[in-house]
Amino acid sequence: MKYQTVIGLEIHAELLTHSKVFCSCSAEFGGEENIRVCPRCSGMPGSLPLFNRGAAELAVKAGLALNCKINNFSAFDRKNYFYPDLPKAYQITQFNHPICSDGYVDIGTKKIRINRIHIEEDAGKLIHDEKRKISLADYNRCGIPLIEIVTEPDIRSAEEAKAFTAEVALALKYAGVCDAKMEQGSLRCDVNISIMPESSKVFGTRTEIKNLNSLRSIGRAIEYEFSRQKKLLESGERVIQQTLHWNDATGVTTALRSKEEAHDYRYFPEPDIPPMFITDEEINTISKAMPEMPSARKARYLSLGLSDADASLLIADKALSDFFDLAVKSYQNPKSVASMIIVEFLRHINDSGFSVEEIALPPADLAQLCKMADEGTVSRSAAKDILKQMLKTLEDPMEIAKKENMLMSNDTSAVEKTADEILAANPKAVEEYRGGSAKVFGFLMGQMCRTLGKSANPAIIKKILEEKLNS
Ligand code: ADP
Ligand code: MG
Ligand code: ZN
């Protein structure tokens, strides 16, 4: 029988606030363990949470970026469970009254509906030391503000799940809500998946694969889980509703807990934080201050004369797209700048394995190089060499061109002198040319270029050579 996959995603995204959501600890990533912890985020008895309003503003931005309704009233609840990464033994989240609801993301082929977005706090991190057979707790991440984005079960394939996640990550990055670095865990995805006969309208029993941290593992986990569930059904067994862990190394899912032993979270309204009211005026103010989103940016690029493919390629990487915008600010030739970025710059970036941010090339320098090539200050091929050098040393393109003697000379006297010498040394070729054989021109051009080197402007050489031959 043919089966259809049904998927709903729960995406956790860390908000880019400076401090944590219920205390004033820094919300930075990385560094030494347990250095950003205080009585509040480590759950000391008697400490009270203090809500960081900045997190609400970012959650509203996320809602606007994902076409959601922003709720004027929302409230926090306690979700009780004991686990060593959660020192309070409960997580503050929004259960009954989320901050945003009813959104959607257009993935090109269809719209995926978003059921809700709610705010919650992140838990700490356990580090398992296999050798010493102990687990260590790092609470730096405790209390980092998260939003959880929950979709309707509208997704039907691994491709759609990946496209949705990529689209959400891009929208959150553009909105300045989350850096969406999946490899660092600032955006993580839980996949709910079930299968049903293709003709069926009734969803099957679902499993939930927790904490996938790359698009690739989302795709692989879905493909694996689809075949596992299909095998079960075909052999007359049933799928058990359970939570699964994906092992990227072995490529299989394993059970974490089943529905029978599922948690009873005993949700109740968080008594230490008052409900949150957001007025329409406040929502309007945030909405007006929303940065340019990917679709608007693409439209702007098309109006600058870029091709659809080039515009899509640039917006897919916000840092690259920002780089392009800054470069165009200092040299207003968008097509030329785009071509230099896409044809040359991107190739080097891909080869190097670094990101645009890590490479740290000043956009104005690339713009200057573009201008130098367009104006014939250096040849196109020299421009490529100069870019390579710039990426290594971050030197100014003009400095490199001077140092490497790549500036095309506009001083015609050297060219004239060389032309005279070369024509004098090749009387036979000159005679043939004047007798009507245009072929030898290439030979003479070659002699000129070889003698004058990279610094000579081929257009000027050609002009002077022609003048001399035809005089
Ligand atoms: P819970 O409260 O148990 O987490 P939800 O109704 O909130 O359940 O659903 C969680 C996620 O699972 C949502 O993204 C939803 O779209 C998805 N989902 C629900 N039912 C199914 C199903 N039968 N197959 C696949 N995904 C499902
Ligand atoms: Mg859930
Ligand atoms: Zn703290």
Side-chain angles (χ1 to χ4, degrees):
M1 195 185 317
K2 278 207 145 180
Y3 288 94
Q4 166 140 63
T5 324
V6 174
I7 297 163
L9 300 181
E10 292 164 283
I11 295 180
H12 285 94
E14 283 182 356
L15 299 176
L16 284 170
T17 52
H18 293 295
S19 52
K20 293 186 179 181
V21 63
F22 298 120
C23 66
S24 54
C25 289
S26 161
E28 242 175 280
F29 174 81
E32 202 184 321
E33 293 79 10
N34 293 310
I35 51 165
R36 295 183 294 272
V37 185
C38 73
R40 285 199 175 106
C41 57
S42 59
M44 292 295 163
S47 65
L48 289 172
L50 202 67
F51 182 56
N52 176 355
R53 218 30 216 196
E57 184 171 332
L58 291 179
V60 170
K61 281 190 178 172
L64 294 170
L66 302 176
N67 308 299
C68 289
K69 175 176 172 292
I70 313 299
N71 297 317
N72 297 111
F73 174 86
S74 64
F76 289 97
D77 299 281
R78 275 191 195 179
K79 178 178 181 180
N80 297 280
Y81 69 93
F82 176 76
Y83 200 68
D85 65 2
L86 189 74
K88 290 204 300 286
Y90 62 83
Q91 181 190 29
I92 304 178
T93 179
Q94 295 183 314
F95 186 57
N96 287 315
H97 300 284
I99 187 161
C100 314
S101 37
D102 299 327
Y104 69 87
V105 167
D106 195 335
I107 58 164
T109 45
K110 69 197 261 193
K111 280 183 182 172
I112 309 294
R113 289 170 302 155
I114 291 170
N115 173 284
R116 58 190 273 148
I117 300 177
H118 60 258
I119 301 175
E120 59 188 29
E121 59 180 332
D122 208 346
K125 223 175 182 171
L126 294 183
I127 301 146
H128 304 290
D129 186 333
E130 301 285 344
K131 266 209 196 111
R132 291 194 282 167
K133 299 248 176 287
I134 53 169
S135 292
L136 301 159
D138 176 9
Y139 291 152
N140 283 340
R141 207 175 66 179
C142 269
I144 302 274
L146 292 177
I147 47 171
E148 180 174 339
I149 302 160
V150 184
T151 77
E152 296 294 344
D154 286 349
I155 297 165
R156 291 289 173 273
S157 68
E159 283 316 310
E160 287 181 8
K162 287 197 281 185
F164 175 84
T165 308
E167 207 54 54
V168 167
L170 194 63
L172 297 184
K173 263 192 225 171
Y174 271 81
V177 164
C178 170
D179 61 19
K181 291 182 179 159
M182 293 192 83
E183 71 289 354
Q184 289 185 359
S186 65
L187 190 118
R188 326 188 273 271
C189 187
D190 298 345
V191 173
N192 295 271
I193 169 170
S194 64
I195 65 169
M196 62 182 180
E198 219 163 42
S199 56
S200 173
K201 293 258 177 309
V202 186
F203 292 168
T205 305
R206 73 173 197 261
T207 56
E208 178 175 3
I209 314 164
K210 284 296 216 191
N211 276 327
L212 296 166
N213 63 0
S214 70
L215 293 181
R216 189 164 170 267
S217 52
I218 290 173
R220 289 177 69 208
I222 289 173
E223 300 293 357
Y224 174 84
E225 193 53 19
F226 173 78
S227 0
R228 191 188 70 87
Q229 294 188 8
K230 186 166 174 247
K231 265 191 214 131
L232 282 174
L233 296 187
E234 283 176 346
S235 61
E237 293 180 63
R238 61 187 185 92
V239 174
I240 307 165
Q241 182 168 350
Q242 57 187 354
T243 307
L244 305 172
H245 167 75
W246 166 252
N247 186 327
D248 213 35
T250 56
V252 302
T253 53
T254 45
L256 282 176
R257 50 181 182 263
S258 69
K259 181 79 179 178
E260 286 72 43
E261 48 186 298
H263 285 111
D264 172 9
Y265 292 125
R266 290 173 295 122
Y267 282 102
F268 65 84
E270 166 59 54
D272 290 334
I273 305 173
M276 177 160 52
F277 294 94
I278 305 174
T279 64
D280 288 342
E281 276 98 329
E282 283 172 308
I283 297 169
N284 268 334
T285 309
I286 296 172
S287 168
K288 281 197 196 112
M290 280 291 278
E292 185 180 45
M293 295 305 287
S295 55
R297 196 172 276 199
K298 186 172 169 187
R300 181 162 62 77
Y301 287 175
L302 293 178
S303 77
L304 290 176
L306 302 198
S307 70
D308 196 281
D310 286 359
S312 303
L313 207 132
L314 287 175
I315 63 152
D317 180 345
K318 174 157 191 296
L320 188 69
S321 172
D322 289 344
F323 184 92
F324 168 76
D325 279 343
L326 287 170
V328 171
K329 256 197 191 136
S330 55
Y331 173 46
Q332 285 89 8
N333 190 336
K335 278 171 127 171
S336 167
V337 171
S339 150
M340 177 74 84
I341 288 180
I342 289 167
V343 180
E344 297 299 329
F345 185 51
L346 212 51
R347 187 162 49 85
H348 290 298
I349 290 182
N350 292 341
D351 289 350
S352 75
F354 290 109
S355 67
V356 180
E357 290 115 313
E358 283 162 342
I359 283 189
L361 181 74
D365 283 4
L366 183 127
Q368 193 195 351
L369 178 65
C370 251
K371 191 158 181 252
M372 283 162 64
D374 287 349
E375 290 175 350
T377 315
V378 294
S379 71
R380 294 266 156 210
S381 80
K384 287 184 194 178
D385 294 341
I386 293 171
L387 181 62
K388 229 192 243 167
Q389 186 74 21
M390 285 163 75
L391 291 168
K392 272 198 206 122
T393 61
L394 295 184
E395 272 171 297
D396 177 277
M398 198 51 131
E399 292 299 309
I400 297 172
K402 278 185 195 154
K403 213 168 62 185
E404 302 289 328
N405 202 21
M406 287 172 167
L407 285 177
M408 288 211 275
S409 168
N410 287 321
D411 170 15
T412 52
S413 63
V415 181
E416 302 229 13
K417 188 164 160 277
T418 309
D420 288 339
E421 283 164 12
I422 284 180
L423 295 188
N426 297 281
K428 212 165 146 243
V430 175
E431 205 176 302
E432 279 175 32
Y433 179 86
R434 288 183 176 146
S437 162
K439 270 195 304 198
V440 290
F441 188 78
F443 163 75
L444 293 169
M445 248 328 258
Q447 296 287 307
M448 293 286 293
C449 290
R450 202 160 310 134
T451 313
L452 289 161
K454 273 190 183 168
S455 63
N457 186 333
I460 291 174
I461 300 177
K462 183 165 177 276
K463 187 163 155 271
I464 289 175
L465 200 55
E466 274 170 352
E467 277 169 10
K468 298 230 180 248
L469 284 167
N470 295 330
S471 67

